[in-house]
Amino acid sequence: MLSRLAESLYWIGRYVERAENTARLLNVNYYATLEAGGRVSEEWRPLLEISGTKNGFAEQYGRADAHSVAAWLAFDRNNPSSIASSLARARENARGLRDRIPSEMWEELNRAYLNLCFQNAEVLARDGLFEYCSAARDASQMFFGIAFATLPRDEGWSFMRSGQLLERGDNLLRLLQVRYSVRTPSNPAQAAVDNHRWMAVLKTVSAYEAYRKTEHGGLQPRAIAKFLLLNPYFPRSVRYSGENLHDALAQIERIHPQAHPQLLREAKWLLARLEHASVDDILERHSPSIDTLLSDFNAIGSAIYAAYFTA
């Protein structure tokens, strides 16, 4: 496969997953602020750190509040992680692959682009953020559902899947990194707010129901971390993402044997960390830490780019 085609599929996977992640983050945070009753500005600032766009936001908006953060993450094309930017970039990559991917995949991306990428902050004025984010989430799920049903499990599939899983693992680790930087308060009133925050963490990755079926001790931060980091069966856990990322890269390696052995070794090392680490290793002993795991995901992304997409 030409590197240009592989790169386009890889970035489609990342951008569509990013649009869904941002939509989930916005939607859940909107309801979490309502349930928490106040402290709205405090609840919106962490979204900038989770999305990695804090500096860009500060240059353009300055003050972080519900309106400015929502506009930045949903519609602003100057933000490469906004829903509109992510869908537009995914669509641009797919436009050059219309003869290489199922027509239904292109049609879904094009439909999402036309429906969502030309909207602006007027959506907030009419209290339409929930509908906008729900439409973005549904478009992503529809796109990947079509891909799972129709895209041949060849090299192109593996590159798209690699991009999707890298983005998913990176997003969840950033979410946990930010939420664990805040100490659990001892004040009962603040503890109630903290409880809402952890419920929001689970709902942001659609893990609330799965977590409650697995863990029966309430919303304990340590138990939530264990589930989201190390559960081998939940499809949005870090371990699940690492395992399936390794499998996608192993398939590419089988097509190009010994072309880039170091890349697969890095993926194996990440998977070994996740398979053998305990939650106490990560949270208490920092071996590996959440920061280390995030760096490992980013290093694999850089290695994929260097190995396959540079001339």
Side-chain angles (χ1 to χ4, degrees):
M1 175 176 287
L2 293 175
S3 63
R4 180 185 62 82
L5 302 179
E7 183 177 4
S8 292
L9 285 163
Y10 168 83
W11 282 110
I12 288 171
R14 292 206 73 151
Y15 287 137
V16 176
E17 181 70 20
R18 186 177 302 173
E20 180 178 347
N21 290 336
T22 304
R24 290 173 180 275
L25 192 64
L26 278 171
N27 245 357
V28 172
N29 195 74
Y30 172 74
Y31 280 103
T33 56
L34 296 180
E35 293 171 354
R39 303 170 67 93
V40 173
S41 62
E42 180 184 334
E43 296 299 326
W44 287 93
R45 285 193 196 95
L47 272 62
L48 302 172
E49 298 179 31
I50 294 168
S51 63
T53 62
K54 184 177 179 180
N55 293 335
F57 173 88
E59 292 175 3
Q60 187 157 332
Y61 290 90
R63 182 173 179 269
D65 56 28
H67 186 278
S68 61
V69 174
W72 171 250
L73 292 177
F75 321 111
D76 201 317
R77 295 291 190 95
N78 293 319
N79 175 13
S81 293
S82 73
I83 295 171
S85 286
S86 298
L87 291 175
R89 293 183 183 198
R91 188 248 192 192
E92 184 61 26
N93 277 280
R95 193 162 61 91
L97 300 179
R98 292 184 62 179
D99 60 336
R100 303 295 296 268
I101 61 175
S103 59
E104 294 94 332
M105 289 174 64
W106 160 254
E107 289 166 2
E108 182 56 37
L109 265 185
N110 193 50
R111 184 181 303 113
Y113 171 78
L114 295 174
N115 289 342
L116 299 171
C117 292
F118 296 96
Q119 299 199 47
N120 54 40
E122 291 180 3
V123 170
L124 304 178
R126 65 173 185 267
D127 198 23
L129 182 63
F130 172 80
E131 288 77 10
Y132 181 88
C133 291
S134 296
R137 180 201 63 202
D138 293 348
S140 171
Q141 293 178 340
M142 178 68 77
F143 174 82
F144 283 124
I146 293 170
F148 268 80
T150 64
L151 196 62
R153 297 320 194 245
D154 57 11
E155 189 177 359
W157 162 263
S158 297
F159 276 109
M160 190 190 74
R161 185 74 169 141
S162 296
Q164 180 191 24
L165 293 164
L166 275 169
E167 191 69 30
R168 181 174 294 180
D170 175 273
N171 180 265
L172 179 50
L173 286 166
R174 287 179 184 275
L175 177 65
L176 293 174
Q177 184 185 56
V178 170
R179 291 309 184 191
Y180 271 95
S181 68
V182 179
R183 286 183 176 273
T184 303
S186 56
N187 181 289
Q190 293 300 313
V193 173
D194 193 63
N195 196 56
H196 280 294
R197 288 186 180 131
W198 284 109
M199 188 183 298
V201 167
L202 289 168
K203 289 183 176 180
T204 297
V205 291
S206 291
Y208 181 72
E209 289 81 4
Y211 170 81
R212 295 305 295 263
K213 289 176 182 177
T214 304
E215 303 288 341
H216 305 289
L219 297 176
Q220 301 298 323
R222 182 184 176 279
I224 291 171
K226 180 181 178 181
F227 182 81
L228 294 181
L229 287 166
L230 300 175
N231 189 287
Y233 306 112
F234 181 62
R236 289 187 170 271
S237 77
V238 176
R239 177 173 170 178
Y240 190 96
S241 295
E243 183 174 343
N244 283 267
L245 173 61
H246 170 268
D247 291 347
L249 294 175
Q251 182 175 349
I252 296 172
E253 173 73 12
R254 286 192 290 271
I255 298 170
H256 302 282
Q258 295 301 310
H260 302 287
Q262 181 60 32
L263 174 58
L264 192 58
R265 280 197 294 270
E266 289 187 33
K268 285 180 179 177
W269 174 238
L270 171 61
L271 180 56
R273 286 184 190 268
L274 293 167
E275 286 179 336
H276 298 290
S278 69
V279 67
D280 290 332
D281 289 333
I282 297 172
L283 297 183
E284 302 297 333
R285 291 182 281 274
H286 305 293
S287 179
S289 66
I290 291 176
D291 292 351
T292 299
L293 293 171
L294 181 59
S295 295
D296 287 347
F297 269 89
N298 290 333
I300 292 173
S302 297
I304 291 173
Y305 191 86
Y308 293 107
F309 306 147
T310 57

